[in-house]
């Protein structure tokens, strides 16, 4: 097998957050090309279209004019962002301008790496060829079964599994410098299928891993919706409680309509901290709303926000742990 059995999270040479925050430039900016998805997975809020409808969340594609504006905004930060993550709530390849998005970000020279996550249902050679040519640095592929029937059962989508494998094989052979990461939730396959997963995909990616479901979506009960019992973290690690959210100190997310969420898990839009259509990304990054949320966490009061109080990402997602440094970090945020 060519691929390394290694989770998608990058832990090598990771910058200790407590040494560098507050950050003048975020490490990661999430941008959602498409807020909808063609799959209806029970472990994802976007898959429950009735639930999403109740939130009033805008459903659609990010216009190129808005996207270019937010990429241009990155010039105001004093340095490059480390990662532009073209993914949040939906299936990014539903946006037919995806290759142009990658190209524009890479040409801006304000972004070090551009990556995305896809369910691979639209990953045809015709669709992916211009994306690779545009300079995509990494693609995370979420596999949701090992045959047509498993896909139909778990995603509500009819897929030709053999064709999906062929498309991934084509991608690997034509990937240029793009890193390919393939993952599957362990709950979607039988233990007897683990080796089959490695056998099918292990020669067509750079990393491969069997992950776990996690209660990462606030106010969305994954166990109740899937019938799974969650005992480990996403990456098969022991569950470790973390009180202070590190993500709001190094990342934020731009939704398809330009509204900015403090958190990439803000599926119901309860953590909106700005609007890039009205303000610059830098002013939102340093703004009152986001800094007030940071202060709440540093003071040990995150439970006052329901979306933060109920977040399983802090226990199951292997976050950076800054709990021991909160008192010192509060002093650094003296502008609050």
């Amino acid at each position: 097998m060519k691929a390394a059995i290694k989770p998608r999270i990058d832990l090598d040479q990771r910058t200790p957050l407590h040494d560098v925050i507050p950050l003048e430039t975020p490490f990661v900016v999430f941008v959602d090309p498409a807020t909808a998805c063609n799959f209806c997975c029970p472990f994802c809020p976007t898959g429950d279209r009735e639930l999403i409808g109740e939130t009033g969340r805008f459903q659609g594609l990010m216009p190129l004019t808005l996207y270019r504006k937010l990429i241009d905004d990155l010039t105001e930060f004093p340095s490059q962002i480390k990662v532009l993550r073209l993914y949040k709530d939906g299936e990014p390849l539903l946006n037919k301008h995806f290759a142009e998005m990658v190209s524009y970000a890479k040409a801006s020279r304000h972004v070090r790496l551009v990556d995305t996550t896809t369910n691979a249902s639209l990953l045809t050679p015709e669709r992916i060829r211009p994306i690779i040519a545009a300079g995509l640095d990494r693609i995370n592929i979420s596999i949701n079964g090992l045959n047509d029937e498993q896909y139909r059962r778990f995603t509500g989508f009819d897929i030709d599994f053999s064709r999906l494998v062929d498309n991934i094989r084509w991608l690997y052979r034509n990937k240029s410098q793009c890193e390919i990461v393939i993952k599957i939730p362990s709950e979607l396959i039988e233990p007897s299928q683990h080796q089959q997963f490695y056998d099918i995909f292990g020669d067509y990616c750079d990393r491969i891993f069997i992950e776990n479901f996690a209660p990462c979506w606030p106010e969305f009960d994954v166990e109740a919706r899937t019938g799974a019992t969650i005992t480990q973290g996403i990456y098969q690690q022991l569950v470790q409680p973390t009180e202070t959210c590190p993500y709001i100190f190094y990342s934020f997310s731009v939704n398809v309509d330009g509204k900015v969420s403090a958190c990439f898990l803000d599926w119901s839009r309860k953590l909106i901290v700005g609007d890039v259509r009205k303000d610059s990304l830098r002013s939102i990054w340093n703004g009152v709303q986001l800094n007030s949320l940071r202060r709440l966490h540093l003071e040990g009061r995150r439970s006052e926000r329901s979306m933060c109080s109920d977040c399983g990402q802090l226990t199951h997602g292997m976050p950076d742990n800054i709990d021991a440094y909160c008192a010192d970090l509060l002093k650094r945020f003296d502008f609050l």
Side-chain angles (χ1 to χ4, degrees):
M1 185 172 73
K2 296 178 181 178
I5 299 178
K6 186 176 181 180
R8 57 194 157 109
I9 188 171
D10 290 317
L11 297 175
D12 300 333
Q13 299 179 334
R14 201 169 179 89
T15 302
L17 274 182
H18 59 272
D19 287 342
V20 296
I21 55 178
L23 293 170
E24 291 187 278
T25 303
F27 286 162
V28 181
V29 177
F30 288 79
V31 174
D32 203 7
T35 193
C37 186
N38 52 345
F39 283 10
C40 295
C41 304
F43 50 84
C44 173
T46 298
D48 187 332
R49 291 166 186 171
E50 182 177 346
L51 175 68
I52 295 301
E54 291 171 358
T55 69
R57 188 177 97 182
F58 175 78
Q59 294 289 87
L61 308 176
M62 177 172 283
L64 270 178
T65 51
L66 174 60
Y67 176 79
R68 290 181 180 128
K69 190 270 180 185
L70 68 90
I71 295 298
D72 292 345
D73 278 359
L74 297 177
T75 63
E76 297 184 7
F77 288 110
S79 58
Q80 284 184 322
I81 65 168
K82 290 186 176 183
V83 182
L84 177 69
R85 190 144 287 152
L86 292 178
Y87 166 76
K88 183 175 179 282
D89 295 311
E91 168 49 49
L93 297 189
L94 286 172
N95 193 318
K96 294 184 179 180
H97 297 293
F98 190 86
E100 295 173 73
M101 291 177 155
V102 175
S103 179
Y104 196 80
K106 296 292 287 187
S108 75
R109 299 186 182 278
H110 306 309
V111 176
R112 190 179 307 171
L113 298 172
V114 179
D115 77 5
T116 193
T117 297
T118 176
N119 61 33
S121 62
L122 303 174
L123 203 67
T124 62
E126 294 76 19
R127 183 67 65 86
I128 196 63
R129 184 183 288 110
I131 295 172
I132 295 300
L136 185 68
D137 294 289
R138 185 164 86 162
I139 184 167
N140 300 295
I141 298 175
S142 300
I143 299 299
N144 292 280
L146 295 182
N147 54 57
D148 296 4
E149 175 54 34
Q150 286 182 331
Y151 261 85
R152 188 177 303 111
R153 188 187 330 146
F154 295 129
T155 73
F157 188 86
D158 286 321
I159 200 166
D160 184 333
F161 182 72
S162 63
R163 181 172 295 177
L164 180 143
V165 175
D166 286 344
N167 288 338
I168 293 174
R169 183 183 297 116
W170 185 95
L171 169 62
Y172 184 74
R173 290 171 177 169
N174 296 274
K175 71 188 185 77
S176 187
Q177 301 302 310
C178 183
E179 181 185 21
I180 301 173
V181 181
I182 296 182
K183 60 187 178 70
I184 191 171
S186 63
E187 292 85 357
L188 298 188
I189 56 177
E190 299 296 328
S192 60
Q193 291 182 294
H194 286 197
Q195 187 58 49
Q196 182 186 1
F197 169 66
Y198 291 130
D199 291 343
I200 292 173
F201 296 105
D203 285 334
Y204 307 118
C205 59
D206 301 292
R207 299 192 207 181
I208 191 167
F209 203 74
I210 298 174
E211 298 186 353
N212 294 318
F213 282 163
C216 56
W217 304 102
E219 302 180 343
F220 184 87
D221 193 334
V222 173
E223 289 185 316
R225 288 173 173 270
T226 64
T229 299
I230 299 172
T231 60
Q232 293 181 306
I234 297 174
Y235 309 111
Q236 302 181 11
Q237 83 279 15
L238 295 175
V239 174
Q240 298 286 345
T242 302
E243 294 302 320
T244 312
C245 176
Y247 303 105
I248 56 177
F249 292 93
Y250 71 83
S251 68
F252 60 170
S253 305
V254 185
N255 299 302
V256 293
D257 58 355
K259 292 181 180 178
V260 178
S261 291
C263 174
F264 61 97
L265 295 169
D266 183 27
W267 62 273
S268 58
R269 307 297 187 264
K270 293 183 179 179
L271 289 173
I272 299 298
V273 294
D275 191 332
V276 77
R277 294 170 298 183
K278 302 174 183 177
D279 300 299
S280 71
L281 279 176
R282 189 179 186 187
S283 66
I284 296 170
W285 177 251
N286 295 315
V288 172
Q289 293 186 74
L290 189 47
N291 277 332
S292 295
L293 183 63
R294 290 166 177 151
R295 182 173 189 172
L296 201 72
H297 278 254
L298 291 175
E299 291 179 343
R301 299 188 293 123
R302 72 178 172 91
S303 61
E304 294 180 16
R305 297 292 293 268
S306 61
M307 286 289 285
C308 297
S309 175
D310 191 37
C311 178
Q313 184 71 16
L314 296 185
T315 52
H316 291 69
M318 205 181 287
D320 301 272
N321 194 323
I322 58 172
D323 290 349
Y325 307 95
C326 287
D328 179 58
L329 292 175
L330 265 173
K331 297 174 185 176
R332 299 186 203 172
F333 282 87
D334 56 1
F335 53 84
L336 292 173

